[in-house]
């Protein structure tokens, strides 16, 4: 490049001030001789070599892995938006790779702006308040510039500083099991993309980015990303998008991200889980028929597909190239179900197949607010909220939920609860917490608890019996101490219905059926089955509708509402959800059972029992609402807090889950 007099002077002036002694002897000699044109030519040649060495040309489009994200309803202001920072980082790489074709003056301006922004970035981003911006700016961008320009004085400390900030972010944004808070879940995939790109840069430069403990945390993030990926490739809890999630570039970005991340994951089970969970999406992206294509044969030529992607290369991901059958062996896979305490979340799924039923639950951590700010802005809440002792902690009874089955979302949104005692609504007095959890090959079970005002609490029971194909959800409203006074209890549970779900309420009984239209390429659709149905039985209510009933289970604008009104000290509100399509049209019935104690009938305020019959299958549910005591129901003796069992003709009552509370 021929430089004019003014540009040549700027080149010599800039590098005279900023070129470090560690630069090559040839560059220093050219600088001392004042040969600006030859210096700039040698400098651009050196930058091109470093770009190739660091693999920047190969990962340039990898900045699409994370995509652009939006963060609605946040309680803190953002100085910089994630999509702007992501675009700025991508632009820096493109500018570096185009250094031979751009003016040195333009390059100096871009470098100066970058140094100014990254030098002040600590004031603009915090790993807890603005995690993705923090990691992109203070972590990845600094690491990239430090590795690319180690011989420029302004960037000498950037590589080590970037490493420290990436480690700091990994420690503060996710816990040791790779779990973020609920409000950070939507940016988990962009964060994984940031950390993966940083690992690629450091590895290509021959450096170690993360110590062993942080790498283990990274592997957990990879597994959690796979676990929380929906059947359509979107992250769970993602809002509905007008963009078709099955478009080539969307699927390709997900496959390439996980393909790259899994290269740094030493757990072979994670690769096998990804193979099972993402194979259908890969088939769709690669253009193969779902039934005939074997992804385990990487030598097979890829067919031509209409409208191929211009950005992503169509190739079989490495994690799909295992030996035939290895990825389907359940013993070689990590547990598909999982639970977390801090933050509080739960995943119920029988296996890793994307079409299998899966329930996701997540509770918000206490959110820090200024109560005066809320009041001054007159922010209204349609759900109960409570404040901590210092008036800055906000507690929320809502739980984020999503239930998917056969590549359809049936429930999606906030699972809400409203409770009034003696016609006065009560708010939470603390956050949700975990009481107990357990998962085996045939079931997953959790109990959560949240304290309420006026000395009450909610115990939430969630059970997924995989072999029985039954989902059981229930709330128990209990006093925290010895409550003798009967109260007028108004309880309302709201389940969020997903879009495009058909609700069918039975005309005579209280049951409700939900139907979802199967995707056109779904195997069951090809066999003539157009929809998938489940039915929900509110077994705590009377089976048959009566006009005088104030308790009911019905469809409303907000979703499915289970409303229970009673006088007493306790309340139990259960829902029995049948997922077994073979018996979906068979007759069903349920009954409240008498619970015995010391040969006398126990008060419903202390314990309750139910029998559910669907076709020939029968189930027994029992819950203690007071201190554990020896009781009997249907002739079955027990001393437990909760029981879900099936009836066997030969063996009687067979417990699926039985919980005994430790004193």
């Amino acid at each position: 490049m021929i430089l004019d007099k003014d540009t040549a002077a700027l080149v010599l002036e800039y590098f005279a001030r900023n070129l470090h002694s560690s630069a090559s002897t040839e560059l220093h000699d050219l600088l001392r001789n004042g040969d600006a044109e030859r210096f700039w030519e040698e400098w651009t040649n050196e930058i091109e070599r470093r770009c190739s060495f660091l693999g920047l040309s190969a990962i340039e489009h990898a900045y699409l892995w994370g995509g652009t994200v939006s963060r609605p309803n946040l309680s803190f202001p953002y100085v910089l938006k994630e999509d702007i920072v992501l675009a700025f980082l991508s632009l820096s790489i493109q500018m570096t790779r185009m250094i031979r074709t751009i003016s040195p003056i333009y390059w100096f301006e871009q470098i100066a702006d970058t140094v100014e922004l990254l030098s002040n970035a600590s004031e603009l981003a915090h790993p807890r308040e603005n995690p993705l911006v923090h990691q992109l700016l203070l972590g990845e961008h600094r690491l990239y510039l430090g590795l690319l320009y180690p011989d420029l004085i302004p960037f000498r400390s950037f590589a080590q500083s970037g490493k420290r900030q990436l480690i700091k972010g990994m420690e503060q944004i996710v816990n040791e099991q790779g779990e973020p808070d609920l409000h950070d879940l939507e940016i988990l995939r962009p964060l994984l993309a940031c950390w993966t790109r940083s690992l690629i840069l450091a590895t290509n430069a021959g450096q170690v980015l993360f110590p062993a403990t942080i790498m283990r945390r990274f592997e957990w993030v990879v597994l959690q990303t796979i676990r929380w990926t929906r059947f359509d490739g979107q992250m769970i809890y993602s809002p509905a998008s007008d963009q078709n999630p099955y478009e080539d570039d969307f699927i390709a970005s997900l496959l390439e991200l996980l393909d790259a991340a899994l290269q740094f994951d030493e757990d072979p089970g994670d690769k096998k889980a990804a193979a099972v969970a993402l194979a259908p999406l890969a088939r769709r992206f690669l253009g193969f028929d779902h039934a005939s294509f074997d992804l385990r044969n990487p030598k097979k030529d890829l067919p031509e597909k209409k409208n191929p992607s211009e950005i992503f290369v169509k190739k079989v991901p490495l994690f799909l190239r295992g030996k035939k059958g290895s990825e389907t062996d359940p013993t070689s896979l990590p547990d598909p179900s999982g639970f977390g305490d801090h933050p509080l979340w739960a995943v119920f799924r029988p296996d890793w197949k994307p079409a299998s039923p899966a329930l996701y639950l997540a509770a918000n951590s206490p959110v820090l607010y200024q109560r005066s700010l809320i009041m001054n802005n007159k922010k209204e809440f349609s759900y109960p909220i409570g404040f901590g002792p210092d008036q800055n902690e906000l507690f929320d009874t809502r739980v984020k939920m999503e239930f998917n089955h056969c590549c359809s979302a049936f429930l999606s949104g906030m699972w809400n609860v409203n409770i009034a005692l003696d016609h006065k609504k009560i708010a939470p007095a603390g956050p949700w917490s975990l009481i107990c959890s357990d998962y085996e090959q045939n079931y997953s079970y959790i109990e959560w608890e949240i304290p309420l005002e006026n000395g009450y609490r909610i115990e939430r029971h969630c059970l997924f019996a995989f072999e029985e194909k039954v989902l059981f959800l229930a709330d128990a409203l209990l006093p925290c101490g010895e409550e003798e006074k009967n109260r007028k209890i108004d309880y309302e549970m709201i389940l969020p219905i997903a879009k495009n779900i058909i609700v069918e309420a039975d005309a005579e009984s209280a049951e409700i059926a939900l139907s979802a239209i199967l995707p056109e390429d779904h195997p069951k659709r090809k066999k003539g089955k157009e929809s998938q149905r489940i039915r929900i039985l509110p077994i705590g209510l009377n089976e048959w509708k009566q006009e005088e009933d104030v308790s009911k289970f019905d469809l409303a604008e907000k979703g499915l509402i289970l409303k229970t009104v009673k006088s007493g000290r306790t309340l139990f509100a259960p829902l029995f959800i049948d997922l077994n399509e073979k018996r979906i049209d068979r007759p069903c019935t349920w009954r409240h059972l008498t619970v015995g104690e010391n040969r006398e009938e126990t008060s419903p305020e202390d314990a309750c029992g139910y029998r559910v019959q669907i076709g020939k299958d029968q189930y027994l549910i029992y819950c203690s609402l007071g201190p554990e005591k020896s009781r009997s129901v249907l002739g079955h003796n027990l001393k437990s807090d909760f029981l879900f069992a099936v009836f066997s003709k030969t063996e009687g009552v067979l417990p699926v889950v039985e919980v005994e509370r430790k004193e």
Side-chain angles (χ1 to χ4, degrees):
M1 177 181 290
I2 299 176
L3 305 180
D4 58 50
K5 183 178 180 181
D6 292 339
T7 302
L10 286 174
V11 168
L12 295 176
E13 179 186 355
Y14 177 85
F15 284 98
R17 288 186 288 107
N18 295 300
L19 191 67
H20 191 262
S21 59
S22 61
S24 67
T25 303
E26 183 177 3
L27 285 173
H28 280 288
D29 290 343
L30 292 172
L31 188 61
R32 280 192 294 270
N33 294 334
D35 194 340
E37 286 190 7
R38 286 190 58 195
F39 179 91
W40 183 252
E41 181 179 0
E42 179 57 30
W43 174 254
T44 54
N45 288 338
E46 177 63 23
I47 296 304
E48 284 186 340
R49 286 193 293 269
R50 294 177 188 176
C51 287
S52 177
F53 178 67
L54 293 175
L56 294 187
S57 60
I59 70 168
E60 180 182 356
H61 77 267
Y63 288 88
L64 297 174
W65 287 351
T68 57
V69 294
S70 60
R71 302 292 298 279
N73 301 322
L74 295 175
S75 61
F76 42 83
Y78 269 73
V79 179
L80 291 172
K81 297 293 185 181
E82 292 95 332
D83 51 355
I84 296 175
V85 175
L86 192 65
F88 181 68
L89 181 52
S90 181
L91 177 62
S92 290
I93 286 188
Q94 294 178 31
M95 290 288 294
T96 302
R97 294 186 60 237
M98 296 167 56
I99 190 171
R100 185 179 292 277
T101 61
I102 62 177
S103 165
I105 296 178
Y106 188 68
W107 184 80
F108 292 147
E109 291 175 352
Q110 191 260 344
I111 286 293
D113 291 343
T114 301
V115 171
E116 181 180 2
L117 175 63
L118 296 185
S119 298
N120 299 323
S122 57
E123 301 176 3
L124 304 176
H126 187 275
R128 290 304 309 133
E129 292 182 351
N130 208 340
L132 186 53
V133 169
H134 176 273
Q135 291 296 277
L136 289 172
L137 274 182
L138 293 177
E140 183 181 358
H141 210 156
R142 281 187 174 181
L143 175 69
Y144 148 67
L145 291 172
L147 294 177
L148 189 63
Y149 303 123
D151 43 10
L152 287 182
I153 293 174
F155 302 105
R156 286 287 294 171
S157 63
F158 271 28
Q160 292 302 318
S161 172
K163 289 180 184 181
R164 288 194 300 269
Q165 295 302 326
L166 287 166
I167 293 173
K168 180 179 179 180
M170 185 77 79
E171 290 175 336
Q172 296 190 21
I173 299 170
V174 298
N175 64 14
E176 293 181 355
Q177 283 71 48
E179 306 155 4
D181 284 336
L182 175 59
H183 57 270
D184 288 335
L185 184 59
E186 62 182 334
I187 59 169
L188 183 62
R189 194 177 290 174
L191 283 169
L192 176 62
C194 170
W195 294 329
T196 302
R197 291 190 301 262
S198 300
L199 280 167
I200 292 174
L201 288 172
T203 302
N204 289 345
Q207 299 187 19
V208 176
L209 178 62
F210 294 141
T213 55
I214 300 299
M215 277 306 301
R216 181 57 182 159
R217 194 173 296 210
F218 174 84
E219 292 180 357
W220 273 108
V221 172
V222 176
L223 180 62
Q224 300 294 14
T225 302
I226 299 168
R227 175 179 277 145
W228 292 333
T229 295
R230 203 160 50 201
F231 54 85
D232 59 0
Q234 298 275 11
M235 290 291 285
I236 57 167
Y237 310 133
S238 298
S241 173
D242 295 333
Q243 181 183 7
N244 181 4
Y246 292 121
E247 289 183 356
D248 276 357
D249 291 349
F250 177 85
I251 299 174
S253 66
L254 170 63
L255 295 176
E256 288 199 4
L257 167 59
L258 288 175
D259 202 23
L262 285 166
Q263 305 313 306
F264 298 97
D265 190 336
E266 297 182 357
D267 189 341
D270 294 350
K271 295 182 176 64
K272 295 175 182 178
V276 177
L278 300 174
L281 283 175
R283 292 187 181 98
R284 186 189 299 272
F285 167 65
L286 295 169
F288 286 94
D289 178 75
H290 186 283
S292 62
F293 174 49
D294 185 0
L295 282 167
R296 293 176 292 266
N297 184 0
K299 297 181 180 180
K300 190 172 182 179
D301 293 334
L302 300 181
E304 293 185 2
K305 188 181 180 182
K306 296 180 180 179
N307 302 321
S309 171
E310 297 178 356
I311 300 177
F312 297 94
V313 179
K314 291 198 170 186
K315 61 180 181 180
V316 178
L318 294 177
F319 64 83
L320 290 167
R321 300 185 183 186
K323 294 182 180 179
K324 186 172 183 178
S326 62
E327 71 272 21
T328 58
D329 180 9
T331 60
S332 65
L333 295 170
D335 292 316
S337 295
F339 309 105
D341 193 2
H342 299 287
L344 194 62
W345 62 272
V347 175
F348 301 73
R349 53 192 300 175
D351 52 50
W352 288 96
K353 298 176 182 178
S356 296
L359 174 67
Y360 302 90
L361 301 172
N364 262 322
S365 300
V367 182
L368 294 179
Y369 284 91
Q370 289 185 2
R371 189 169 188 178
S372 60
L373 180 63
I374 295 176
M375 298 307 176
N376 291 336
N377 292 340
K378 297 181 180 180
K379 186 171 182 179
E380 296 182 359
F381 292 87
S382 59
Y383 53 90
I385 60 170
F387 293 90
D390 59 359
Q391 302 298 300
N392 284 334
E393 276 192 326
L394 183 147
F395 306 122
D396 188 351
T397 57
R398 300 178 305 162
V399 169
K400 192 82 170 179
M401 79 176 312
E402 183 170 313
F403 175 69
N404 303 319
H405 186 27
C406 286
C407 296
S408 297
F410 282 84
L411 303 173
S412 182
M414 284 295 186
W415 178 358
N416 201 358
V417 172
N418 296 303
I419 298 174
L421 295 178
D422 297 329
H423 306 291
K424 181 181 179 181
K425 288 188 177 181
I426 57 175
W432 285 98
S433 59
L434 180 67
I435 299 177
C436 68
S437 64
D438 190 23
Y439 57 90
E440 300 290 344
Q441 187 173 353
N442 62 331
Y443 73 87
S444 288
Y445 177 79
I446 62 162
E447 283 186 32
W448 287 357
E449 180 181 81
I450 186 170
L452 305 175
E453 296 173 337
N454 295 355
Y456 269 77
R457 71 183 190 275
I458 295 175
E459 284 187 3
R460 176 157 290 174
H461 305 259
C462 300
L463 167 67
F464 196 162
F466 302 136
E467 293 182 359
E468 300 298 326
K469 296 184 179 180
V470 170
L471 187 62
F472 182 80
L473 309 175
D475 278 347
L477 179 64
L478 306 171
C480 295
E482 294 293 333
E483 176 65 45
E484 299 295 338
K485 179 182 177 182
N486 285 340
R487 296 176 177 269
K488 175 69 178 302
I489 301 175
D490 291 271
Y491 169 90
E492 187 179 72
M493 175 198 294
I494 304 173
L495 290 181
I497 301 297
K499 290 186 176 181
N500 302 320
I501 294 298
I502 301 171
V503 180
E504 306 169 23
D506 190 86
E508 298 180 347
S509 74
E511 71 173 88
I512 288 180
L514 304 180
S515 299
I517 304 300
L518 293 175
E520 292 184 359
D521 62 342
H522 195 281
K524 293 184 179 180
R525 184 69 178 264
K526 295 179 180 180
K527 296 179 181 179
K529 186 177 179 61
E530 296 185 356
S531 64
Q532 180 70 29
R533 295 176 67 226
I534 66 174
R535 58 180 172 182
I536 307 177
L537 312 179
I539 61 175
L541 306 183
N542 293 325
E543 179 179 354
W544 305 107
K545 294 179 179 178
Q546 299 178 15
E547 293 184 1
E548 63 272 16
D549 280 346
V550 291
S551 299
K552 58 184 179 180
F553 183 49
D554 208 349
L555 175 66
E557 182 180 355
K558 299 178 181 179
L560 290 177
I561 294 184
L562 174 64
K563 186 174 183 180
T564 302
V565 180
K566 62 165 291 190
S567 295
R569 295 178 290 105
T570 63
L571 177 142
F572 191 64
L575 291 175
F576 185 103
I577 304 176
D578 185 21
L579 312 176
N580 193 333
E581 60 181 330
K582 294 182 180 179
R583 64 187 184 195
I584 196 67
D585 294 319
R586 295 177 184 175
C588 70
T589 185
W590 65 87
R591 293 290 183 270
H592 296 222
L593 300 176
T594 298
V595 179
E597 179 184 334
N598 296 327
R599 299 183 179 181
E600 295 183 358
E601 182 178 344
T602 303
S603 169
E605 300 296 312
D606 296 324
C608 55
Y610 307 92
R611 179 178 67 86
V612 179
Q613 182 173 353
I614 305 176
K616 296 182 179 180
D617 300 327
Q618 296 192 56
Y619 301 90
L620 172 65
I621 298 102
Y622 165 83
C623 185
S624 173
L625 303 177
E628 285 188 7
K629 295 182 180 180
S630 296
R631 298 189 177 104
S632 64
V633 57
L634 280 184
H636 180 67
N637 297 315
L638 47 83
K639 183 181 180 181
S640 56
D641 183 67
F642 175 80
L643 172 70
F644 185 94
V646 298
F647 288 99
S648 169
K649 292 182 179 180
T650 57
E651 301 180 62
V653 175
L654 297 178
V656 176
V657 174
E658 186 168 7
V659 179
E660 294 184 1
R661 193 174 305 279
K662 294 181 179 180
E663 296 297 336

